[in-house]
Amino acid sequence: LGTAIFALLYAVFGQALSMLADYWLRWWAEERFGDQGNAMYMWVFAILVGSTILVGYHKARVWLNFALDSSSSLHSRSLWAVLHSPMQFFVANPTGRILNRFSRDQNLVDELCPATFFDFIQTTLFCLAAIAALLCISLPWLLFLIPILYYLFVLLRSKYIKSSREIKRLEAVSR
């Protein structure tokens, strides 16, 4: 749990640093701190962009280490549960089916879930930052639309999950 919180905080820090670089570029274009030709603007922007790149790299490494640890833990617990199953389970299910199911599920956890969840966190943070900037700066009336949009999102998500489960069930039955 501590690694997950650290990875999430690292993602928030990376997003904040990226937004700071964008704002610095805007301030530079507006000549907020003096002459645009001043080398200070370029150096500060270069440092911010370099820091954003380094934080992004480390954020990905922290996340992938977290995903690897989680996957290993899940594999160990799943294997323990299969090995300690009652004999009736092995009589009712052929070994090939157990092995195929176990390896397919572990493959999904190892390959698909970390990338999908990493992208989800990135996109969520980007959207939250954009919404916060819109609400605070230019469109405070958008605050009233957020609960409606959230409700629609939850509704569409539940419909998607139901159909996705049904498609997976049909796929499993057709094998």
Side-chain angles (χ1 to χ4, degrees):
L1 184 61
T3 309
I5 292 171
F6 181 69
L8 185 61
L9 289 176
Y10 222 112
V12 169
F13 178 67
Q15 183 64 37
L17 197 58
S18 175
M19 289 178 65
L20 183 61
D22 291 341
Y23 277 112
W24 183 261
L25 191 60
R26 189 188 85 189
W27 293 330
W28 186 6
E30 293 176 351
E31 296 182 34
R32 178 92 33 116
F33 301 112
D35 182 29
Q36 275 187 348
N38 190 349
M40 177 197 69
Y41 283 111
M42 182 184 64
W43 282 108
V44 171
F45 185 67
I47 290 169
L48 286 173
V49 169
S51 300
T52 302
I53 291 169
L54 287 174
V55 167
Y57 171 75
H58 287 290
K59 175 178 54 178
R61 282 190 55 104
V62 166
W63 175 254
L64 291 177
N65 285 337
F66 166 70
L68 180 64
D69 292 343
S70 300
S71 177
S72 297
S73 173
L74 181 64
H75 179 268
S76 298
R77 288 185 291 165
S78 300
L79 184 61
W80 187 91
V82 168
L83 292 177
H84 290 84
S85 296
M87 191 54 75
Q88 182 62 30
F89 173 76
F90 294 103
V91 171
N93 295 301
T95 307
R97 182 185 302 162
I98 296 170
L99 186 60
N100 283 340
R101 181 65 187 259
F102 194 79
S103 63
R104 185 178 57 149
D105 289 351
Q106 191 63 39
N107 185 38
L108 284 173
V109 168
D110 286 343
E111 293 181 9
L112 190 61
C113 287
T116 302
F117 200 62
F118 184 78
D119 289 342
F120 166 75
I121 288 174
Q122 287 293 106
T123 305
T124 300
L125 287 174
F126 182 75
C127 289
L128 288 175
I131 288 172
L134 278 174
L135 290 177
C136 293
I137 296 171
S138 60
L139 302 171
W141 56 268
L142 189 64
L143 186 62
F144 298 111
L145 292 178
I146 289 178
I148 297 168
L149 293 173
Y150 181 75
Y151 173 75
L152 290 174
F153 172 76
V154 169
L155 184 71
L156 290 173
R157 180 183 170 274
S158 69
K159 287 185 184 281
Y160 167 76
I161 288 176
K162 287 178 186 175
S163 10
S164 174
R165 285 183 185 153
E166 188 65 22
I167 288 171
K168 286 181 184 178
R169 187 189 66 77
L170 289 172
E171 179 185 337
V173 168
S174 68
R175 289 184 182 206

